[in-house]
Amino acid sequence: MKQLSALEMAVAVVLAKQVSLDGGHALIEQLKTAEVSGREFTGCGFYTEFGVDRALPPAVVTISPGGRVRSEVGPHAYPLEFMLYVKDGYAEMIEAYSYFDGYGDIDLLTAPFTAPNAFDLPAIEVR
């Protein structure tokens, strides 16, 4: 059984609190049971798909995919942003992406990382 990496779990908890109406409680309980079914590395991030225990209560989410979380990974502080995908109340995928060039030989799942932090997008002025 493959579990979420420390980075994936850390960002997923912050994301769960952002996208759910109960402060993330239901999603966090689900994430504790996550079994990874696949990972795809894109060169600028990754997708992690997983299954959770569907005997647990579903979450009520405001948006999916959703969340605005950022962390810096590895010795050169490669910046990653994250989103959580939820379907029918159950977490199913984390997306990590960057607007920077590729991360090189950093192992994104085992490298040290900064504490994931929520961020807001800058306001866009409509004219």
Side-chain angles (χ1 to χ4, degrees):
M1 168 176 80
K2 291 191 260 182
Q3 297 180 322
L4 296 175
S5 71
L7 173 63
E8 291 166 331
M9 183 58 92
V11 299
V13 167
V14 177
L15 289 164
K17 292 175 182 179
Q18 287 182 339
V19 302
S20 66
L21 297 177
D22 71 351
H25 178 73
L27 284 174
I28 292 169
E29 290 304 308
Q30 291 175 22
L31 291 163
K32 290 177 184 176
T33 70
E35 292 186 28
V36 174
S37 57
R39 286 190 177 103
E40 177 186 346
F41 293 91
T42 65
C44 291
F46 60 89
Y47 294 92
T48 299
E49 295 181 69
F50 51 88
V52 296
D53 183 352
R54 289 188 172 253
L56 294 170
V60 178
V61 299
T62 56
I63 188 169
S64 178
R68 304 216 182 281
V69 173
R70 181 177 292 143
S71 180
E72 295 177 346
V73 180
H76 302 295
Y78 185 73
L80 284 173
E81 296 177 9
F82 301 86
M83 291 192 300
L84 180 65
Y85 291 70
V86 179
K87 184 175 180 181
D88 299 327
Y90 293 93
E92 63 177 12
M93 187 170 71
I94 296 169
E95 178 181 356
Y97 57 93
S98 182
Y99 295 108
F100 283 57
D101 287 337
Y103 48 83
D105 62 356
I106 300 170
D107 183 340
L108 297 178
L109 299 179
T110 61
F113 58 91
T114 61
N117 290 307
F119 69 92
D120 292 322
L121 292 176
I124 297 173
E125 184 177 331
V126 178
R127 295 179 187 216

